[in-house]
Amino acid sequence: MPETSRRTAGGLDPHRIAEVIVTTPTGRRRGSGYRVTDTTVLTAAHVVTGTTGTRVRFDVDRPGQWEAPADVAWYDAGSDVAVLTFVPPSTAPSVEPAPFGRITSDHHAVVAVHAAGFPLWKQRRRPDGGQFRELHQTDGTVAALSNLRTGTLEITVAPAGADPNPQVSPWSGMSGAAVWAGDLIVGVVAEHHRWEGSGRLTAARIDHALLPAGAPPAAEPAALLAIDDPRALPEAGTEPPAAHGPHREDEPAASSPPARSKVIGLPVAHGIELFKNRTRELDLIGRHLGDPAVRMVTVTGRRGMGKSALAAKVMDLLDRGEWPGHTEAPLPSGLVNLSTRTSGISLERLYFDCAQLLGGEHRTRLHEVWAAQLPVQDKLDELFAAMGDRLFVILMDNFEDLLHDDGRIRDEEVALFLDCLFRARSTPRVLVTTQIPVRLAPELRRFVAQVDLAEGLHPSESVALLRELDRDGSLGIADLSDEELLRAAVRMHGVPRALELLVGAMADDDMTLPTLQDVLADYAQRRDVVEGLVQDRHRQLDAGSRTVVGVLAALRTPVPQPVIQTIVGGLDPELDIAHILAHLVRIHLLSVDRRHRTFALHPMDADLAYGELPADGPTGRTAVERRIADWYANIAPPRATWQTADDVQPLRRQFDHLVRAGDVDAAAMVLGEMGEWLVWQGSVLGVISMHLAIDGRLTDDRARLAHLGSFGHARLTAGPMEHAVELFTGAADLAERLGDRRALQNAVFGLGDAYRQLARLDAAVGPLARAGDLAHENGDMEGEVHAILSLSLAYSSLGDGETALASADRLAEVARTSGDRLTEARAANARTIALLTLERWEETIVSGDLAARAYRAADSHEAITYALNAQGIALLALDRVTEALPVLQEALDEASLMENPRAEGVCLCNLAWAYWCHGQYAQAAEAAERAAVSLGIAGAAEATAAQALAEAARARAVPRPRAAADALVRAADALGGNVEVVGLSWLVAQAELLRAED
């Protein structure tokens, strides 16, 4: 029996978390919210500011997902709180009113809080390439006395896990999420100030929104939220700060600062104050060092990743009386800094530095023990006994200098020190940085924790580091935009040392005075950069190992051993691949994913290794790229099995490797095979990018023909349409000359469809009819279906609805015969547009719904937007404006999903007229202006009409009836009778009414 009610005893219910999707004149944005009653959602006011449409969605991307349009019922910009109302579908469960409370601000307290929403940093990609935001639960604390001046809540949370766009907060989309203290809602997430770090959020207080200063309680929002008396909100539970342990950043300061640790040795890195936020790694290291069961923490990573800087930051925090991250443990009594590059690391150095740390009688006693003729184990037992139960931390930096390539310790005395460290009851904690993980006996692994620095800095941190490296602006970096610096950061994979060397290369070259872009363009060939980044072990590789590394550098993706065997075997069949891989893993030049059994190079190492490949030769760059392209060609699934864009991924990779090999004619043939299919899957921008990579470089006529045809179809979708005509005309001429009837069919079809979309309808009919004949002659049912569909649409555009309807019926017969779902959808679409032409409005609405459902049943987004658009026009014709608005908005969303600017422009134009009919003239103007931009990008004739409609709406809003009427007439003249756009007679009739008003 289905659930019809969901009663909760209190607390956050995941089924009531709302994704708030807002449409504005400039696009769409997302926020979060919470369903507080059956028909209301609580959110932040700025989320719904300037909205032209709002939808709330629940159980997002999960079984039972449902959504509904919503209206802003109450809004207060001052407190940044809003309440939405909606009508839930009959299948939606009913809910009890959510409980509300308040956090007192009249005494010191730390309150545990939590919230759940859809932040930008949780953006994910579906297998089909589409994007979505995963739900994120954040737990934190509110310091009750913080933010008293602004009357908000300061929430300390775990920092955002990523920063995908430096121009936008990583917490964007979390706004509006309900903030809970225990089982009570106390606020909504409102702001994130970047300068406060990614671990601070600001929330609006519910009690302040309901009880504005100097005014009576706000009755309207209280009623909407089902709160009987805002003055009686219960106080949320509080907890005092910890009585013991070190001061944390999110806790009030203690009455006196903690005693600082005694420190021996200089910091192992310069400029600790410039250290960039490795928040996750700092927290991990702090947690491990604070765990009595862990004796040694190793920080591993390739050269230049910032291991030394991270370790130095840990030691600096401990020196200042702070544990890294969120760890709570007794502070160390002493710290020792050692590095193989400065003081050296030896048993003697370790012993005497620790003795100096203990000082006084302990130091004297330990010196006597060292001078005595005792076994080393006994000396170390004395050292550890002197340390007692106090905590000491020893940093050993650049430990790889003491290791064999396989990670075994070369220095026997240092190995003995670690052996005693693991055996003793009470010992210091050791923090190690190394490019090579330390290889220990299996029984000792439980005492060791490893923190791997596999990734570079976050983009925003990389940008900040680049700016700091040019503080005086002498290199011109300070004048560059964040976007330019972001490209540099991404190109260098966020590796801190690489960014430093990049700037150093600029500063040291007084002859050519290179810019940042100059150094980026060839950094992998610049010795001044490469020498500082190439792993020492890479320089010692033999020829066979270099070949394997070169192949992995060219692949740029993790692959299993059999793939490497196949590719490298085609270059040098004598190589023992298994032995070479084992060696490269043992010396840690390759990383291994044991779960998937794949091998990979770090992206920086891949760049450097690829730059060192010779251009020619049996194992040179060209040969490697061609061999990889051949392998991808062999694993590509046959065309008949393609269902999603992932199915053609091998061909896309084959194309990339052929281009890198310089085989652009072969690449064009591969692109011609998949390009048009990818366009129909919504990957039009990717297809255009691939065509631009080979445009103007082809010498073979067959390759040029494949390129022109596929590129034409991409432009047919994305525009400009005149370029599509040019491409298809060239393809048709070349196909005629080569005698390629299938390519000719494809070209004349594209040419006819381009003419149709340009409203050059007389020119469209001939090519489309010929395309249908050629498809029939070639036995190409799908091609024939396409041609009949476009011919029907052309007749509709010519105003000949009956002939268009006959073509649609012909298409339906093909669908019945073949049983093909997509053909059935196309027939329904052709029928919908024909009925629209004949102004059979009710039938258009029914047929449009049928077409949209048929396309979805066929798992295709091909023309859903046009079916919904026709529905919207028919609803407008019947004066059912409130029904038309959401339908046209859905049509616009589908057009955006397909990356089709012409369809976007058409839907926006019709949406603008719907707003006009609804009396929302400002929204109408903005929608029409967006339509003009999209139609202009597509090179569509209706762009002029959309601009005139925008001018009319602006004038109507003032109001200036005469000017609005004149602009409407200009819009009508520019429409040219396009059936997919609002009727020109409607615009003329409205103009006459306005003139009568004037």
Side-chain angles (χ1 to χ4, degrees):
M1 175 173 187
E3 180 186 24
T4 59
S5 175
R6 182 175 290 118
R7 309 293 176 186
T8 59
L12 193 157
D13 179 354
H15 300 288
R16 297 168 70 169
I17 298 168
E19 184 177 31
V20 181
I21 304 170
V22 172
T23 303
T24 71
T26 57
R28 291 203 303 171
R29 63 171 179 259
R30 296 173 189 272
S32 303
Y34 193 80
R35 187 184 181 195
V36 293
T37 74
D38 269 335
T39 58
T40 58
V41 164
L42 175 68
T43 188
H46 75 266
V47 170
V48 292
T49 299
T51 176
T52 57
T54 303
R55 299 185 72 80
V56 288
R57 184 181 296 168
F58 301 89
D59 284 321
V60 179
D61 290 329
R62 295 189 296 167
Q65 173 180 307
W66 60 276
E67 62 181 271
D71 296 311
V72 180
W74 183 80
Y75 171 104
D76 179 35
S79 63
D80 201 9
V81 175
V83 182
L84 310 178
T85 56
F86 65 97
V87 177
S90 58
T91 54
S94 61
V95 297
E96 292 283 355
F100 287 86
R102 62 186 175 86
I103 290 179
T104 185
S105 57
D106 59 2
H107 64 267
H108 166 254
V110 177
V111 183
V113 296
H114 55 278
F118 302 89
L120 176 62
W121 69 269
K122 290 284 285 191
Q123 189 161 279
R124 300 286 187 268
R125 187 174 293 277
R126 296 187 178 92
D128 63 2
Q131 294 183 335
F132 68 98
R133 294 194 191 181
E134 181 58 277
L135 180 67
H136 174 65
Q137 174 186 316
T138 186
D139 295 270
T141 57
V142 166
L145 296 180
S146 293
N147 292 13
L148 279 179
R149 177 175 291 185
T150 55
T152 56
L153 300 174
E154 178 190 79
I155 310 176
T156 300
V157 297
D163 193 359
N165 183 352
Q167 306 301 318
V168 181
S169 166
W171 291 103
S172 174
M174 192 75 178
S175 291
V179 178
W180 294 79
D183 291 342
L184 303 174
I185 297 176
V186 296
V188 295
V189 175
E191 291 180 289
H192 167 232
H193 303 293
R194 271 190 176 275
W195 56 88
E196 294 181 352
S198 64
R200 293 284 193 280
L201 298 175
T202 298
R205 301 174 65 121
I206 290 296
D207 54 331
H208 283 204
L210 298 177
L211 298 168
E220 183 181 2
L224 289 167
L225 299 175
I227 297 173
D228 294 330
D229 184 357
R231 292 165 297 192
L233 290 177
E235 181 178 342
T238 62
E239 58 185 46
H244 304 286
H247 164 60
R248 282 170 39 190
E249 192 175 305
D250 56 334
E251 294 178 350
S255 58
S256 60
R260 296 186 67 149
S261 304
K262 185 175 181 180
V263 180
I264 302 297
L266 294 173
V268 297
H270 298 287
I272 297 173
E273 69 279 0
L274 299 182
F275 178 82
K276 294 300 157 208
N277 178 15
R278 290 274 195 183
T279 308
R280 186 184 71 85
E281 290 84 359
L282 281 171
D283 189 53
L284 278 174
I285 294 171
R287 194 185 319 155
H288 293 318
L289 286 177
D291 183 354
V294 174
R295 301 292 175 85
M296 184 168 81
V297 180
T298 62
V299 181
T300 61
R302 74 168 315 281
R303 189 176 185 182
M305 290 301 290
K307 301 180 295 297
S308 297
L310 176 61
K313 183 63 175 179
V314 169
M315 300 297 276
D316 179 62
L317 288 171
L318 292 173
D319 178 31
R320 291 191 283 114
E322 299 179 34
W323 269 98
H326 297 82
T327 302
E328 294 186 12
L331 285 168
S333 298
L335 307 170
V336 176
N337 291 306
L338 295 174
S339 172
T340 60
R341 311 292 167 84
T342 54
S343 58
I345 299 176
S346 64
L347 175 63
E348 184 176 351
R349 182 83 269 161
L350 285 162
Y351 186 92
F352 282 106
D353 279 3
C354 289
Q356 184 181 350
L357 195 66
L358 292 167
E361 295 179 0
H362 287 301
R363 179 181 178 184
T364 303
R365 164 68 180 156
L366 290 170
H367 276 247
E368 292 172 353
V369 169
W370 183 264
Q373 299 301 312
L374 297 173
V376 172
Q377 290 94 329
D378 291 348
K379 295 177 182 180
L380 291 175
D381 286 345
E382 289 282 352
L383 174 65
F384 296 151
M387 289 181 172
D389 291 329
R390 290 176 295 168
L391 176 62
F392 296 87
V393 177
I394 302 172
L395 168 60
M396 293 192 279
D397 188 40
N398 298 120
F399 201 71
E400 68 272 4
D401 293 344
L402 302 181
L403 302 177
H404 293 288
D405 282 345
D406 62 359
R408 289 179 296 112
I409 301 173
R410 278 203 307 255
D411 188 308
E412 292 183 4
E413 289 191 334
V414 172
L416 184 59
F417 175 85
L418 291 179
D419 183 70
C420 293
L421 179 87
F422 294 132
R423 296 178 188 278
R425 184 186 67 82
S426 179
T427 66
R429 312 281 160 76
V430 175
L431 176 60
V432 168
T433 72
T434 174
Q435 294 180 39
I436 307 172
V438 183
R439 188 174 180 182
L440 298 167
E443 65 271 16
L444 301 180
R445 288 177 182 266
R446 68 179 185 272
F447 300 117
V448 180
Q450 182 171 309
V451 176
D452 189 20
L453 287 191
E455 303 293 332
L457 298 174
H458 288 163
S460 62
E461 295 160 4
S462 299
V463 169
L465 178 58
L466 283 170
R467 292 201 183 281
E468 288 168 358
L469 292 170
D470 184 31
R471 281 191 181 278
D472 61 3
S474 60
L475 300 178
I477 292 177
D479 298 327
L480 298 178
S481 67
D482 282 352
E483 184 178 353
E484 291 172 296
L485 295 181
L486 181 62
R487 283 198 294 269
V490 172
R491 182 73 180 87
M492 304 307 285
H493 310 288
V495 175
R497 183 59 179 154
L499 297 171
E500 293 170 353
L501 290 169
L502 195 68
V503 176
M506 295 174 62
D508 294 342
D509 192 340
D510 295 327
M511 296 292 292
T512 63
L513 301 176
T515 65
L516 183 64
Q517 287 71 26
D518 293 334
V519 180
L520 275 175
D522 63 352
Y523 88 89
Q525 282 78 44
R526 295 181 67 99
R527 302 314 302 176
D528 50 352
V529 176
V530 171
E531 289 297 324
L533 290 174
V534 170
Q535 310 268 36
D536 294 333
R537 300 178 300 288
H538 185 269
R539 297 188 178 94
Q540 302 163 6
L541 295 178
D542 58 27
S545 297
R546 284 180 178 271
T547 298
V548 172
V549 168
V551 167
L552 286 166
L555 278 165
R556 295 176 182 271
T557 187
V559 288
Q561 180 178 328
V563 173
I564 303 170
Q565 183 80 51
T566 300
I567 296 172
V568 177
L571 298 168
D572 188 344
E574 301 301 320
L575 292 179
D576 185 345
I577 304 302
H579 175 77
I580 291 173
L581 287 175
H583 173 67
L584 292 174
V585 170
R586 190 165 54 249
I587 65 174
H588 299 282
L589 264 181
L590 296 186
S591 62
V592 180
D593 181 338
R594 295 188 179 277
R595 179 182 175 190
H596 298 98
R597 299 187 178 183
T598 57
F599 300 83
L601 282 168
H602 185 278
M604 176 62 73
D605 291 324
D607 282 350
L608 298 171
Y610 192 78
E612 291 195 342
L613 281 175
D616 302 309
T619 58
R621 188 181 306 128
T622 301
V624 167
E625 294 287 8
R626 285 174 176 165
R627 180 62 186 158
I628 294 173
D630 289 344
W631 179 76
Y632 277 119
N634 289 332
I635 68 166
R639 170 69 184 261
T641 65
W642 295 354
Q643 293 184 341
T644 70
D646 285 343
D647 295 328
V648 297
Q649 194 62 32
L651 292 182
R652 296 183 75 161
R653 291 187 180 273
Q654 181 192 4
F655 171 88
D656 291 338
H657 289 287
L658 287 171
V659 170
R660 291 195 198 112
D663 297 343
V664 289
D665 287 328
M669 298 301 292
V670 174
L671 182 52
E673 182 182 352
M674 64 176 168
E676 184 180 353
W677 189 87
L678 277 171
V679 168
W680 286 111
Q681 295 299 309
S683 300
V684 61
L685 298 182
V687 173
I688 289 174
S689 177
M690 287 188 279
H691 278 293
L692 291 175
I694 60 174
D695 197 31
R697 300 172 60 188
L698 305 175
T699 57
D700 179 78
D701 279 345
R702 290 283 175 185
R704 288 182 59 243
L705 179 57
H707 167 62
L708 290 170
S710 174
F711 200 5
H713 280 288
R715 289 301 189 198
L716 189 65
T717 295
M721 210 60 63
E722 291 291 357
H723 191 199
V725 169
E726 178 187 331
L727 291 165
F728 283 129
T729 300
D733 292 343
L734 191 53
E736 289 271 23
R737 182 155 58 83
L738 296 174
D740 190 329
R741 306 292 284 175
R742 285 192 175 274
L744 179 61
Q745 167 201 325
N746 185 282
V748 295
F749 165 76
L751 183 61
D753 211 26
Y755 280 137
R756 179 184 68 82
Q757 296 194 46
L758 282 168
R760 294 163 61 180
L761 304 174
D762 291 334
V765 172
L768 289 173
R770 188 180 183 198
D773 293 341
L774 284 167
H776 188 76
E777 172 190 320
N778 292 330
D780 180 2
M781 189 196 79
E782 184 177 352
E784 187 175 2
V785 165
H786 262 123
I788 296 171
L789 171 62
S790 291
L791 193 60
S792 174
L793 297 175
Y795 280 123
S796 289
S797 298
L798 281 167
D800 187 353
E802 294 296 345
T803 305
L805 202 56
S807 295
D809 290 341
R810 177 184 166 193
L811 205 55
E813 182 58 35
V814 174
R816 279 191 291 273
T817 302
S818 66
D820 183 63
R821 285 185 169 184
L822 188 54
T823 303
E824 177 188 340
R826 288 166 174 166
N829 183 43
R831 179 175 179 81
T832 299
I833 305 303
L835 291 169
L836 184 67
T837 304
L838 295 169
E839 298 186 354
R840 289 156 60 173
W841 308 124
E842 293 286 0
E843 291 176 81
T844 300
I845 295 168
V846 173
S847 182
D849 180 64
L850 176 65
R853 284 190 284 110
Y855 273 118
R856 289 185 173 118
D859 198 23
S860 171
H861 288 271
E862 179 182 291
I864 294 176
T865 185
Y866 292 109
L868 294 171
N869 181 67
Q871 267 190 294
I873 294 174
L875 288 165
L876 288 174
L878 295 172
D879 201 27
R880 291 157 61 178
V881 180
T882 54
E883 294 175 66
L885 279 166
V887 172
L888 290 170
Q889 181 60 57
E890 187 179 357
L892 175 60
D893 294 343
E894 285 288 339
S896 299
L897 182 67
M898 291 298 291
E899 299 177 349
N900 188 328
R902 182 184 180 277
E904 283 183 325
V906 166
C907 294
L908 280 164
C909 201
N910 294 328
L911 193 59
W913 186 248
Y915 284 132
W916 178 296
C917 296
H918 208 243
Q920 297 173 273
Y921 302 115
Q923 290 92 328
E926 289 169 352
E929 286 170 351
R930 289 173 60 201
V933 172
S934 294
L935 291 167
I937 292 171
E942 296 87 358
T944 304
Q947 189 57 52
L949 180 56
E951 293 170 11
R954 294 283 182 211
R956 183 70 182 87
V958 175
R960 290 187 291 125
R962 173 67 61 177
D966 292 344
L968 282 178
V969 171
R970 291 199 306 276
D973 291 342
L975 280 177
N978 184 351
V979 68
E980 294 171 326
V981 188
V982 292
L984 59 88
S985 61
W986 301 354
L987 305 186
V988 171
Q990 184 65 210
E992 290 174 355
L993 288 174
L994 289 171
R995 283 173 177 154
E997 279 182 28
D998 192 28

